[in-house]
Amino acid sequence: MPTFRSFAFRIAPLSLAMVSTGALLSIGTFSPTAHAVVTNPAVNSVSAPVSLFSTYPSSELVALCNEPEVRCKEDSITPDEFVSALKATSYLTSLQPYAENNDYELLIANVGNVSTQFAEITLQWRGMEIDSHIAKTNSQKQAESGNLQHAESLIRQWEDNAVNKGIFTAEFLYRALDASNYEHDLAVPHSFGQFTKLDTQLFADPFSGAITRYTHPAYEDALVDIIVYPFTHKITEDDRTLLNEQLDADLAKASAVAKAQQLTLTLSDPAAPYQVKGFADGWRLGVKAEAENVPTLYASTYVFRKHDKIIKIATTFPTDFSDPLVNELIQHVDVPKESMLMKRVRKLL
């Protein structure tokens, strides 16, 4: 096998924290979007951007606080004091108070009286609630200690709960949303040909699914990725249209990467049906990128459909070498069936 170069940066063993997201046909320019960089267990920190908003208390929170003789007051601790308390910790490293359009949003409701303060802290992902926790602190000496210290106490309680439950990990998110369970229901081989499985990881976005990377013992730039994710169409969508869409999106990403690196991108194998006889009908696309005084770069992508999932196999070498490997590999790949999350999504389509 000749030496192949790709757009992929060199990766250390087991460093799938940097997963393909817009590379030359999904193998190449890596960026930190997998679950391993959402949270850093070594220092208990979250790098994902998190918005923060104040919200109204639930009836449960009000019922906990109100007593016959002492009524609770809403926002007795101000939103800005909660912001200061969160910033005082190192847990949320990209806290963005009142920012729009982040996947993660933290909603804080606060009620209190002369003796007790409560905070109901709810985490949402794209508007869907995935966790809620009520914290409580005694405020008998509130006049001496000040609201900020009570806010810090409530935030520390929430943070302990968040760390213990791992609420910012991809695994927790997938469970909370009833997304597919790739850990148990995705089947991929440990090895095929001379390639060996490096790791399987979840993307931070359940709609992006899971990625498995394979490496070659002799050629560090020879990589194979299997990316499995749900398509966001009705189950009845025509396979030709569905699979072409995946290749069109990858080709657009490849073109952007090639342009940024001042390479000329050409189709070595235009998108066309690809059949693994007796096992799968899919589509294949091969590209190459060239420049003066630079070895030619190759990438091949194959897309198949099973259940409500796309199986994408991407390599960093030409189709002449990829075809026999893909023919062997696809026979041993099985994917989760439609999740409750996607059933709900498709009802809205």
Side-chain angles (χ1 to χ4, degrees), residues 239-240 243-244 247 269-276 280-285 301-304 323:
D239 276 8
R240 178 188 178 94
L243 298 179
N244 269 329
L247 293 182
D269 293 276
Y274 185 82
Q275 184 181 58
V276 182
D281 293 326
W283 280 67
R284 182 189 69 183
L285 175 67
T301 289
Y302 304 74
V303 286
F304 305 91
D323 286 356

Side-chain angles (χ1 to χ4, degrees), residues 72-321:
C72 280
K73 175 185 176 183
E74 289 187 23
D75 294 331
S76 51
I77 299 174
T78 68
D80 286 344
E81 286 168 327
F82 279 112
V83 170
S84 296
L86 281 163
K87 287 184 175 180
T89 76
S90 59
Y91 185 51
L92 302 180
T93 61
S94 185
L95 180 67
Q96 299 178 5
Y98 321 118
E100 302 285 350
N101 301 320
N102 285 330
D103 284 347
Y104 283 103
E105 293 182 345
L106 205 60
L107 310 179
I108 299 182
N110 164 240
V111 293
N113 55 37
V114 294
S115 62
T116 310
Q117 290 288 334
F118 291 87
E120 183 177 43
I121 304 177
T122 301
L123 182 64
Q124 293 187 341
W125 186 84
R126 297 186 185 176
M128 294 177 281
E129 181 178 324
I130 61 173
D131 185 72
S132 187
H133 180 74
I134 294 178
K136 174 184 176 181
T137 184
N138 185 297
S139 57
Q140 291 283 6
K141 298 182 179 181
Q142 186 167 339
E144 292 87 351
S145 59
N147 278 352
L148 181 57
Q149 288 191 28
H150 293 291
E152 290 174 346
S153 174
L154 293 166
I155 291 300
R156 281 194 298 271
Q157 293 176 52
W158 168 77
E159 182 180 320
D160 288 342
N161 169 75
V163 171
N164 289 335
K165 293 169 68 175
I167 66 174
F168 284 96
T169 62
E171 291 85 353
F172 184 92
L173 178 63
Y174 281 47
R175 289 195 303 271
L177 296 179
D178 290 322
S180 290
N181 188 334
Y182 292 93
E183 181 180 0
H184 291 96
D185 300 329
L186 173 65
V188 295
H190 176 71
S191 62
F192 63 95
Q194 291 183 289
F195 284 81
T196 302
K197 177 182 170 182
L198 176 64
D199 199 7
T200 296
Q201 290 191 358
L202 300 175
F203 284 98
D205 179 351
F207 297 104
S208 296
I211 180 172
T212 302
R213 166 149 293 183
Y214 293 86
T215 58
H216 193 284
Y219 304 100
E220 65 178 18
D221 287 329
L223 306 173
V224 177
D225 279 358
I226 304 175
I227 307 101
V228 177
Y229 57 93
F231 54 81
T232 52
H233 295 292
K234 293 282 190 182
I235 294 291
T236 55
E237 181 78 13
D238 175 69
D239 276 8
R240 178 188 178 94
T241 301
L242 182 65
L243 298 179
N244 269 329
E245 282 184 2
Q246 316 310 310
L247 293 182
D248 286 345
D250 279 350
L251 183 57
K253 294 175 185 177
S255 298
V257 172
K259 183 178 180 180
Q261 299 193 20
Q262 297 183 327
L263 299 168
T264 300
L265 188 75
T266 57
L267 296 178
S268 53
D269 293 276
Y274 185 82
Q275 184 181 58
V276 182
K277 193 170 182 179
F279 289 96
D281 293 326
W283 280 67
R284 182 189 69 183
L285 175 67
V287 300
K288 61 180 179 179
E290 301 170 290
E292 291 186 9
N293 303 319
V294 175
T296 301
L297 311 179
Y298 295 92
S300 305
T301 289
Y302 304 74
V303 286
F304 305 91
R305 169 186 173 173
K306 188 166 187 179
H307 305 317
D308 74 324
K309 302 294 190 294
I310 298 295
I311 303 173
K312 180 183 294 182
I313 302 176
T315 79
T316 56
F317 35 89
T319 57
D320 287 348
F321 293 94

